[in-house]
C-alpha cells in the first residue's frame, strides 16, 4: 500500500512540500523506525546514564505525538475538510510534550515544538526575501530546523557536545547551507524545496552522529555513537521519506548489542563517577516566572536538567539524589502531575535480569493459570464475579519485569480496564501491546504462537492474528427467564454462547455442547479447544472428542482443565 507521501517521488524540478498529510506520515514512519531500531538504540545508551532505555523513551515520545496527530485527523473524518499544517504540527508537538520520556525524549519533544513554531506560521509570508523575491520553499523548513535546535539547547541547563543537541544543530546548519541566494546563484536554486532541505538535514545529521565518539569521552571509550543522536537520525530519515517518498539507506548499527553490556560495565565501573540516584519527570502547569525559579532550584539539586514546553505547560526532567525535593520544587512553582520517579541503582542492578518481552494474561481459573504460566506468561486470576481492576493488571505488568509486554485481557468486559492499565504502564516506560482477546481460548491461541525472539511488532501481529482466527463459545447456566437471540430461556437452562451471543438453549450439557460444536465447525476449523470447569467429568471431554473425530476427520481436539471458572465449558475453534 502506498503511503500518502509516496504518491509523488521527488523530482529535482518540483519542490516537495511538508503539509499536514506528510506530517501524519512522518509520525507514522518515525514510530515504525524507532520500533525497529529501539533495541539497538537502547544497547548503545551510555550517556548521561547507562540505563539502556533511550530507544524505548524516544519510541514512547513519538508514539504520543503520533496519537495526537491521529486525533486531529479523526476530528475531521466526518467532514469534508482536512487539518491544516499549523493544527497538525501543534498537535504533534503537544503530544510529544505530554508523552516525553527520559532525557532524549524530552529534548526531542522540544525539537518538535521548535519546528511547530515556524511551520505553524503562514508559509506564504516567509518564502520571500527582504526584497520580496521568491525563495525556495525549503527555506521555511530550514528555519524550522534552526528554531528546533535553538530551543532544544535553551531547554538544557548545561548543553554537552556529542549528543542529540549536536546532531540537531548539524541538521539545521546543513539545511541552511543548502538554501539558495536570492538570485539562485548557489545552493539548489529555484528547485530548492522541502525535499532538498530534508535531504541536506539528514546528511548533515549523519555526519555529525558519526563524529560524536570523538566529542564525548564516554562514547569514545565505549566505541559507540550517541544514542539520542542515533534516534534523532531515525526520525530525520522518516522525515525524508515522508516528504520525498525516498527512504534513506539503512544506518549501520552504532554497536553490536550483544557485546555492549561488558563495555558499559567497564565504563561505569572504571571511568564514570557515580551520578544522582533518581530520575524525576513530571508535567507542570505554571507561568514563565515560575519556570525560571524552578530551573534555578533544580539546577542546584542535580544534573541532566531539561525543561521543555511553554504556554503554561512544561515537561520537567532532572537527575537528583533527593527526589522529594525535586517534586517539592515543582509544587512550589505550580501544579505538577504525571510524576515518575526512577531509581537508577535499582534499574542498573536489574538491567541484565530484565526480560526483553513478556506476556500478561487474565485467566478465568487456576487450571488455565498454571497452563499459561508453564508457557511463560504472568497471569492474573479473574474469579467468578470478581474481575480484576486496572491496578491488578498494572502490578502484573510490573511483575513480568520486561521491557515489552503483551497484555491478553481474555474478556470483552475487561477492554477498558486493560486499556487503562496499558496506558499507566506505558507512562512508566514499559512498551505494552494490548491484544483485545475476548475469551480465554483466544488467549491460549495467541500464547501458542508467541515467539519472544522475533521483533515485537511481528510477534504482536502473529498473536493478534491467531486470536482473531479463533471463534469462541461458552456454556453457561441461565439465572432467570429472559429473551435471547435463540428464544426464551428459563432459569436453569444451559445457554450456548458463540462469540458472545446466545446461539443454543438446551437442558443437558453434552447435547448442548455438541450442538454448539456443529454450529461452530459448519464454518470450518482445524483445532477444537475444550476447557472444562472444576466439576465437569472427564467423560464429557471423551464424548466431545469422539463427536468431533466422527463428524470432522481433519479436526484435532485438545482438552484442558480450567479449575474453578464461571462457565462449565469453554470452547475454541481455530
Amino acid at each position: 500500500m502506498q503511503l500518502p507521501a509516496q504518491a509523488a517521488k521527488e523530482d529535482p524540478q518540483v519542490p516537495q512540500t511538508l503539509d499536514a498529510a506528510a506530517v501524519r506520515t512522518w509520525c507514522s514512519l518515525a514510530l515504525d523506525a524507532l520500533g525497529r531500531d529501539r533495541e539497538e538504540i537502547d544497547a548503545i545508551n551510555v550517556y548521561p546514564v547507562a540505563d539502556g532505555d533511550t530507544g524505548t523513551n524516544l519510541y514512547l515520545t513519538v508514539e504520543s505525538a503520533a496519537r495526537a496527530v491521529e486525533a486531529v485527523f479523526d476530528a475531521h473524518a466526518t467532514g469534508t475538510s482536512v487539518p491544516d499544517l499549523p493544527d497538525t504540527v501543534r498537535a504533534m508537538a503537544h503530544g510529544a510534550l505530554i508523552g516525553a520520556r527520559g532525557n532524549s525524549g524530552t529534548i526531542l519533544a522540544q525539537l518538535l515544538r521548535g519546528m511547530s513554531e515556524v511551520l505553524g506560521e503562514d508559509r506564504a509570508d516567509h518564502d520571500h526575501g527582504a526584497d520580496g523575491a521568491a525563495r525556495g520553499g525549503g527555506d521555511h523548513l530550514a528555519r524550522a530546523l534552526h528554531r528546533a535546535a535553538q530551543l532544544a539547547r535553551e531547554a538544557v541547563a548545561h548543553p554537552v557536545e556529542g549528543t542529540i543537541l549536536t546532531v540537531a544543530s548539524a541538521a539545521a546548519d546543513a539545511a541552511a547551507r543548502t538554501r539558495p541566494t536570492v538570485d539562485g546563484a548557489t545552493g539548489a536554486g529555484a528547485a530548492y524545496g522541502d525535499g532538498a532541505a530534508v535531504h541536506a538535514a539528514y546528511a548533515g545529521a549523519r555526519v555529525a552522529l558519526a563524529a560524536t565518539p570523538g566529542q564525548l569521552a564516554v562514547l569514545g571509550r565505549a566505541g559507540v555513537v550517541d544514542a539520542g543522536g542515533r534516534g534523532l537520525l531515525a526520525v530525520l530519515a522518516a522525515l525524508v521519506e515522508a516528504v520525498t517518498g525516498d527512504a534513506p539507506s539503512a544506518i549501520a548499527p552504532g554497536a553490536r548489542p550483544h557485546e555492549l553490556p561488558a563495555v558499559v560495565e567497564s565504563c561505569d565501573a572504571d571511568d564514570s563517577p557515580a551520578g544522582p540516584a533518581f530520575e524525576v519527570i513530571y508535567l507542570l502547569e505554571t507561568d514563565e516566572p515560575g519556570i525560571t525559579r524552578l530551573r534555578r532550584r533544580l539546577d542546584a539539586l542535580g544534573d541532566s536538567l531539561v525543561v521543555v514546553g511553554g504556554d503554561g505547560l512544561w515537561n520537567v526532567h532532572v537527575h537528583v539524589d533527593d527526589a522529594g525535593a525535586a517534586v517539592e520544587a515543582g509544587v512550589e512553582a505550580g501544579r505538577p502531575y504525571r510524576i515518575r520517579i526512577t531509581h537508577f541503582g535499582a534499574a542498573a542492578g536489574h538491567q541484565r535480569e530484565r526480560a526483553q518481552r513478556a506476556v500478561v494474561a487474565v485467566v478465568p481459573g487456576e487450571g488455565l493459570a498454571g497452563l499459561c504460566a508453564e508457557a511463560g506468561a504472568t497471569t492474573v486470576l479473574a474469579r467468578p464475579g470478581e474481575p480484576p481492576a486496572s491496578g491488578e493488571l498494572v502490578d502484573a505488568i510490573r511483575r513480568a519485569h520486561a521491557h515489552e509486554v503483551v497484555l491478553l485481557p481474555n474478556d470483552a468486559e475487561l477492554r477498558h480496564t486493560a486499556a487503562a492499565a496499558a496506558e499507566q504502564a506505558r507512562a512508566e516506560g514499559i512498551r505494552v501491546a494490548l491484544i483485545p482477546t475476548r475469551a480465554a481460548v483466544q488467549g491460549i491461541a495467541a500464547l501458542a504462537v508467541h515467539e519472544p525472539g522475533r521483533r515485537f511488532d511481528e510477534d504482536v501481529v502473529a498473536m493478534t492474528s491467531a486470536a482473531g482466527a479463533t471463534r469462541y463459545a461458552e456454556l453457561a447456566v441461565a439465572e432467570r427467564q429472559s429473551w435471547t437471540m435463540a428464544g426464551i430461556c428459563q432459569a436453569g437452562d444451559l445457554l450456548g454462547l458463540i462469540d458472545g451471543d446466545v446461539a443454543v438453549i438446551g437442558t443437558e450439557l453434552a447435547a448442548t455442547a455438541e450442538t454448539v460444536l456443529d454450529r461452530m465447525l459448519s464454518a470450518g476449523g482445524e483445532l477444537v479447544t475444550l476447557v472444562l470447569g472444576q466439576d465437569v467429568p472427564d467423560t464429557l471431554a471423551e464424548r466431545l472428542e469422539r463427536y468431533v473425530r466422527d463428524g470432522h476427520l481433519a479436526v484435532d481436539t485438545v482438552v484442558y482443565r480450567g479449575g474453578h471458572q464461571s462457565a462449565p465449558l469453554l470452547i475454541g475453534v481455530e
Side-chain angles (χ1 to χ4, degrees):
M1 182 177 66
Q2 192 179 50
L3 290 168
Q6 291 178 314
K9 291 288 184 179
E10 184 176 16
D11 181 335
Q13 302 303 317
V14 181
Q16 304 296 295
T17 301
L18 182 67
D19 56 13
V23 170
R24 184 188 194 185
T25 302
W26 177 25
C27 289
S28 176
L29 291 172
L31 191 62
D32 288 344
L34 290 171
R36 290 191 304 271
D37 299 343
R38 182 189 56 75
E39 293 181 18
E40 175 206 323
I41 297 171
D42 282 347
I44 64 173
N45 173 200
V46 299
Y47 181 85
V49 177
D51 49 354
D53 62 359
T54 292
T56 300
N57 288 335
L58 288 169
Y59 179 91
L60 292 171
T61 302
V62 173
E63 182 181 46
S64 183
R67 283 201 303 264
V69 169
E70 287 303 316
V72 171
F73 274 83
D74 288 345
H76 287 75
T78 57
T80 57
S81 63
V82 295
D84 59 16
L85 179 62
D87 285 346
T88 305
V89 294
R90 287 168 191 148
M92 174 183 65
H94 181 74
L97 174 67
I98 64 175
R101 301 288 191 274
N103 194 70
S104 294
T106 308
I107 293 173
L108 177 61
Q110 190 74 340
L111 289 168
L112 296 179
R113 179 180 178 83
M115 292 189 69
S116 75
E117 285 188 5
V118 176
L119 296 175
E121 299 170 348
D122 185 351
R123 186 169 187 142
D125 293 340
H126 299 278
D127 285 346
H128 292 79
D131 60 355
R135 297 190 300 204
D139 180 77
H140 198 233
L141 189 48
R143 289 188 306 103
L145 291 167
H146 173 75
R147 180 58 175 160
Q150 178 187 36
L151 275 190
R153 284 186 176 271
E154 292 174 358
V156 178
H158 303 285
V160 174
E161 295 305 326
T163 64
I164 186 174
L165 298 175
T166 304
V167 176
S169 295
D173 291 344
R177 285 194 299 271
T178 307
R179 179 187 301 158
T181 59
V182 172
D183 61 7
T186 62
Y192 177 68
D194 288 349
V198 296
H199 271 301
Y202 176 78
R206 189 162 183 163
V207 171
L209 178 65
T212 56
Q215 296 173 294
L216 196 54
V218 65
L219 301 179
R221 289 193 295 268
V224 299
V225 297
D226 178 64
R230 172 64 179 82
L232 178 59
L233 194 63
V235 173
L236 290 173
L239 179 60
V240 172
E241 186 173 358
V243 172
T244 69
D246 295 327
S249 57
I251 305 166
R256 290 187 290 273
H258 68 277
E259 291 185 356
L260 198 59
V263 176
V264 174
E265 183 179 3
S266 173
C267 290
D268 287 346
D270 301 332
D271 302 308
S272 299
F278 298 96
E279 177 186 57
V280 179
I281 305 173
Y282 50 79
L283 292 178
L284 180 70
E285 293 180 354
T286 189
D287 53 16
E288 290 283 352
I291 211 67
T292 299
R293 292 193 300 272
L294 179 70
R295 287 179 191 272
R296 288 197 297 266
R297 176 81 182 276
L298 293 181
D299 195 23
L301 284 175
D303 59 28
S304 295
L305 174 60
V306 184
V307 180
V308 304
D311 302 322
L313 180 62
W314 309 81
N315 192 307
V316 180
H317 170 281
V318 67
H319 295 172
V320 294
D321 282 319
D322 190 343
V327 175
E328 288 173 6
V331 173
E332 293 173 3
R335 187 179 78 88
Y337 59 102
R338 291 195 186 181
I339 300 169
R340 296 187 297 277
I341 300 174
T342 303
H343 187 273
F344 286 129
H350 294 291
Q351 184 66 29
R352 283 178 291 278
E353 298 174 12
R354 182 177 290 273
Q356 183 58 41
R357 187 174 312 152
V359 176
V360 172
V362 180
V363 291
E366 63 275 7
L368 286 184
L371 174 70
C372 293
E374 288 177 6
T378 297
T379 61
V380 179
L381 188 60
R383 296 176 177 84
E386 298 180 22
S390 62
E392 293 179 73
L393 299 185
V394 173
D395 287 341
I397 292 171
R398 292 172 181 148
R399 289 200 315 273
H401 200 58
H403 295 291
E404 303 164 335
V405 173
V406 180
L407 179 57
L408 305 173
N410 296 338
D411 188 338
E413 298 300 321
L414 286 178
R415 62 187 184 279
H416 297 306
T417 301
E423 188 63 27
Q424 184 174 341
R426 291 179 188 126
E428 298 176 8
I430 304 171
R431 188 180 182 189
V432 181
L434 171 60
I435 298 179
T437 48
R438 296 177 292 172
V441 289
Q442 289 189 322
I444 293 171
L447 193 56
V449 300
H450 167 55
E451 291 185 14
R454 63 183 162 198
R455 283 179 43 205
F456 186 64
D457 293 336
E458 293 175 354
D459 200 29
V460 171
V461 168
M463 295 176 72
T464 302
S465 178
T470 303
R471 299 190 68 195
Y472 63 95
E474 68 175 74
L475 269 63
V477 179
E479 296 180 356
R480 64 183 66 86
Q481 183 187 63
S482 60
W483 290 86
T484 74
M485 295 184 65
I488 301 175
C489 71
Q490 305 297 326
D493 282 348
L494 283 166
L495 305 179
L497 292 87
I498 300 177
D499 295 336
D501 296 321
V502 177
V504 178
I505 299 175
T507 57
E508 197 267 325
L509 185 59
T512 306
E514 289 172 350
T515 304
V516 169
L517 283 168
D518 283 339
R519 297 277 186 92
M520 299 179 75
L521 290 171
S522 65
E526 298 176 355
L527 177 67
V528 170
T529 300
L530 303 174
V531 182
L532 279 61
Q534 179 72 25
D535 299 324
V536 176
D538 290 336
T539 53
L540 175 67
E542 295 168 0
R543 173 173 169 173
L544 295 180
E545 282 186 285
R546 285 197 304 270
Y547 187 82
V548 171
R549 185 170 58 248
D550 292 344
H552 306 275
L553 297 178
V555 178
D556 293 325
T557 305
V558 293
V559 180
Y560 302 114
R561 276 288 178 183
H564 291 285
Q565 58 188 39
S566 57
L569 180 64
L570 305 177
I571 302 173
V573 174
E574 298 179 49

